[in-house]
């Protein structure tokens, strides 16, 4: 009965490769997010989608492309991976965008290591 | 733009002792405030949240936090710490009408001595 799930949990890959991380939530939420946590554990939002529509894009390189096939899924595709992309990527979801609906619930994270 | 400061990078307390983790925010209006906990190798778990109303909020695992507008603070407290509370704690602020963007502090790592 996992609320927000991510696959894979770990991802080790070579520079220049293309990879995807998948996120699914079974909470019936309308809004989903991607955050990046760097090696110093600093968390920063990358994207958010509401009802499959992009609402936040925090100056993330074009190599990162989120895709939301439906409200329950938000996938993150990364092209031409660089060493600096090594981080933990967290997916989150919230009921909506107003008031207490904004409470965000996080997935377990995907640990990406680029060699 | 909003920002969050967690002044303490590391805190060590003895099991059974009380705990206070500091959080100061910068935002032009009343913010939404959150505390999350991250255990090693795990995701973020919501401890508690403040949106409006009573400035003292209760959360899970015996934690509470108090919103003090005059001090722009939202400190997290627990009267008696358990060894299992050892983790990284993050304070976050959300802006009303800001598209639900959460801004996180840099975290406080809590160690508990037995």
């Amino acid at each position: 009965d996992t609320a927000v799930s991510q696959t894979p949990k770990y991802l080790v890959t070579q520079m220049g490769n293309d990879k995807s991380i998948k996120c699914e939530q079974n909470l019936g939420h309308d809004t989903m997010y991607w955050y990046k946590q760097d090696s110093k554990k600093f968390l920063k939002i990358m994207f958010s989608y509401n009802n499959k529509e992009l609402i936040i894009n925090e100056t993330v390189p074009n190599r990162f492309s989120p895709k939301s096939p439906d409200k329950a899924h938000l996938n993150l595709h990364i092209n031409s991976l660089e060493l600096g992309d090594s981080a933990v990527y967290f997916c989150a979801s919230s009921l909506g965008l107003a008031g207490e609906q904004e409470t965000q619930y996080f997935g377990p994270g995907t640990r990406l290591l680029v060699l | 733009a909003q920002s969050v400061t967690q002044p303490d990078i590391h805190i060590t307390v003895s099991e059974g002792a009380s705990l206070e983790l500091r959080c100061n925010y910068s935002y032009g209006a009343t913010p939404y405030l959150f505390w999350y906990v991250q255990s090693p190798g795990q995701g973020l778990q919501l401890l508690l949240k403040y949106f409006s109303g009573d400035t003292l909020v209760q959360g899970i695992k015996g934690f509470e936090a108090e919103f003090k507008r005059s001090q722009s603070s939202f400190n997290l407290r627990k009267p008696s710490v358990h060894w299992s509370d050892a983790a990284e704690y993050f304070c976050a602020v959300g802006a009303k009408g800001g598209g639900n963007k959460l801004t996180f502090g840099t975290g406080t790592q809590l160690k508990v001595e037995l």
Side-chain angles (χ1 to χ4, degrees):
Chain A
D1 59 344
T2 304
V4 183
S5 59
Q6 296 179 227
T7 53
K9 189 170 183 179
Y10 299 96
L11 186 53
V12 181
T13 188
Q14 300 287 330
M15 267 199 313
N17 284 350
D18 303 337
K19 290 294 178 185
S20 292
I21 306 172
K22 295 186 177 181
C23 177
E24 177 181 3
Q25 54 92 4
N26 62 6
L27 297 167
H29 287 175
D30 285 345
T31 312
M32 297 184 71
Y33 313 80
W34 278 109
Y35 286 83
K36 179 180 180 180
Q37 186 177 46
D38 63 22
S39 58
K40 296 186 178 179
K41 298 204 173 176
F42 182 63
L43 275 152
K44 187 169 166 46
I45 191 165
M46 300 172 69
F47 302 101
S48 76
Y49 271 73
N50 181 251
N51 282 319
K52 303 195 299 174
E53 182 180 337
L54 179 68
I55 56 172
I56 293 177
N57 182 340
E58 282 289 300
T59 60
V60 178
N62 290 339
R63 299 182 296 103
F64 290 81
S65 54
K67 285 189 171 51
S68 181
D70 55 57
K71 288 197 307 184
H73 296 83
L74 180 62
N75 304 323
L76 184 64
H77 188 75
I78 315 171
N79 290 325
S80 304
L81 277 156
E82 301 178 357
L83 294 177
D85 297 332
S86 296
V88 182
Y89 291 84
F90 286 102
C91 178
S93 74
S94 68
L95 185 60
L97 294 172
E100 295 213 30
Q101 294 183 353
E102 298 189 27
T103 304
Q104 295 182 29
Y105 298 90
F106 284 76
T110 295
R111 285 143 186 85
L112 171 65
L113 178 60
V114 182
L115 303 175
Chain B
Q2 67 260 36
S3 66
V4 178
T5 302
Q6 292 180 248
D8 304 305
I9 298 174
H10 300 282
I11 282 186
T12 300
V13 299
S14 299
E15 189 174 38
S18 63
L19 172 70
E20 182 169 28
L21 301 182
R22 295 184 291 165
C23 172
N24 292 97
Y25 67 89
S26 173
Y27 181 60
T30 301
Y32 299 149
L33 294 161
F34 307 84
W35 275 99
Y36 287 87
V37 60
Q38 184 179 23
S39 298
Q42 302 298 314
L44 284 85
Q45 182 180 23
L46 178 68
L47 283 176
L48 46 76
K49 57 189 176 182
Y50 172 80
F51 284 86
S52 63
D54 193 346
T55 56
L56 183 63
V57 293
Q58 302 296 321
I60 62 171
K61 305 184 179 186
F63 285 93
E64 67 177 25
E66 187 170 12
F67 169 58
K68 292 186 177 180
R69 184 191 308 273
S70 61
Q71 298 176 20
S72 298
S73 69
F74 189 58
N75 294 349
L76 182 71
R77 300 193 294 250
K78 186 169 185 177
S80 178
V81 170
H82 188 262
W83 64 266
S84 60
D85 292 325
E88 189 93 22
Y89 291 79
F90 292 94
C91 181
V93 61
K96 291 179 183 177
N100 211 7
K101 172 183 166 182
L102 275 187
T103 299
F104 283 84
T106 49
T108 297
Q109 185 168 34
L110 173 65
K111 293 184 180 178
V112 179
E113 290 181 334
L114 300 176

